[in-house]
Amino acid sequence: MEKQAIYELYGSPDSANLVVRMALEVLHQPYRYHAVDRSIQAHKSETYRQLNPQGLLPVLVDPDQDAPLFETAAILLHMSDKHGSLGALPNGPERGRFLKWLFFLSSTLQSDLRVSFRPHVYVTDKAGQSELVSTLGGRVNEHFALLNAEIEKQQGSFLLGYEVSVLDLLLAACARWAVLYTHGEAAKIDHLSALQEMLRTVEVMPEVAKAAELECLGPTPFTAPRVPDVPGVTD
Ligand SMILES: N[C@@H](CCC(=O)N[C@@H](CS)C(=O)NCC(=O)O)C(=O)O
């Protein structure tokens, strides 16, 4: 019998591949995982840059596509469209809302977080770094408040309403990282009750729990996050 071609996911514990892994698990898609050791900068190697010339995680290889995919939000959109799940149908009434929050999560929240994890990449002097991180901290808190208000507006517990989508998976990961990895104060999200309810609901989904275990995140990755005790996590 011919072997089924499956997805290939490249990642490192608790990097953005976490979101793609959660989506693959929830979609019940088989995949092969390739560990990329950030502690030895394997993501900057020539071999890895063939997959993602930026030298960033994650990469998803879809055997039906003519090139590897990078950029987390693009991967999520591709997967949700391809499998007709965890998103909004291209011609459906929720599509605009889905796209707008996906782009907001990726290009505003995740981007601000990325800078606040690595301020030294953007500003050389220490005082400048502190100012940058503090400004971003305020912005990130505002982003979470906005997302909390959007969930509050819904009938269900999720950004799109009753159904979990890739938006919630990306938001859950950002909430986790914002508490653990910013160089300034941890994000203030405990009081955001709609967000916290979404995090609790997502966290107990068996597929999400499996992804969290595979990423070494511990039993409460979103409601009480802890830094995984494995090499290469915070470099
Ligand atoms: N916009 C990219 C950002 C990816 C990204 O920043 N990945 C981090 C891990 S979460 C990474 O590879 N960091 C290593 C580095 O910056 O050298 C995406 O969404 O995929």
Side-chain angles (χ1 to χ4, degrees):
M1 199 167 58
E2 201 179 310
K3 231 174 128 192
Q4 190 197 356
I6 62 170
Y7 287 115
E8 313 247 348
L9 175 62
Y10 290 76
S12 161
D14 213 8
S15 294
N17 43 272
L18 163 64
V19 190
V20 178
R21 200 199 279 266
M22 289 193 285
L24 285 164
E25 292 290 347
V26 177
L27 291 167
H28 300 288
Q29 289 303 307
Y31 59 96
R32 193 168 299 116
Y33 181 76
H34 299 271
V36 180
D37 189 347
R38 284 180 68 176
S39 67
I40 56 160
Q41 298 286 301
H43 54 306
K44 303 297 181 198
S45 69
E46 276 309 303
T47 317
Y48 185 78
R49 281 184 197 272
Q50 304 281 318
L51 298 166
N52 182 352
Q54 299 179 97
L56 297 176
L57 300 156
V59 161
L60 184 75
V61 176
D62 176 344
D64 297 334
Q65 291 294 305
D66 64 3
L69 284 119
F70 53 82
E71 287 302 320
T72 308
I75 296 173
L76 296 175
L77 180 56
H78 172 68
M79 284 166 52
S80 97
D81 280 355
K82 180 168 172 172
H83 298 288
S85 183
L86 281 184
L89 294 173
N91 295 321
E94 296 176 332
R95 183 65 168 191
R97 213 151 44 87
F98 173 63
L99 291 178
K100 129 184 125 175
W101 288 112
L102 182 61
F103 280 74
F104 175 79
L105 284 164
S106 168
S107 64
T108 303
L109 177 59
Q110 195 191 348
S111 287
D112 277 358
L113 285 174
R114 188 177 142 72
V115 177
S116 73
F117 300 155
R118 304 167 70 80
H120 54 280
V121 173
Y122 301 87
V123 178
T124 45
D125 72 287
K126 290 275 176 211
Q129 288 171 20
S130 306
E131 193 187 342
L132 178 61
V133 159
S134 150
T135 304
L136 287 170
R139 279 174 56 90
V140 162
N141 287 335
E142 283 173 16
H143 303 334
F144 280 118
L146 212 61
L147 289 152
N148 182 67
E150 181 65 18
I151 301 173
E152 233 164 36
K153 278 199 322 214
Q154 310 303 320
Q155 302 285 335
S157 315
F158 304 108
L159 270 167
L160 288 184
Y162 289 113
E163 301 272 340
V164 69
S165 73
V166 291
L167 300 178
D168 307 292
L169 304 181
L170 181 52
L171 174 54
C174 286
R176 166 185 173 76
W177 299 327
V179 168
L180 294 181
Y181 299 122
T182 66
H183 275 228
E185 282 180 31
K188 294 185 176 42
I189 56 170
D190 285 354
H191 65 294
L192 301 175
S193 50
L195 172 65
Q196 289 298 331
E197 167 66 18
M198 183 281 280
L199 296 177
R200 270 193 297 280
T201 309
V202 163
E203 185 172 88
V204 297
M205 291 172 63
E207 299 89 349
V208 169
K210 181 178 171 199
E213 191 186 339
L214 291 166
E215 296 272 334
C216 314
L217 306 188
T220 53
F222 304 122
T223 56
R226 298 277 173 276
V227 176
D229 188 14
V230 287
V233 168
T234 57
D235 61 337

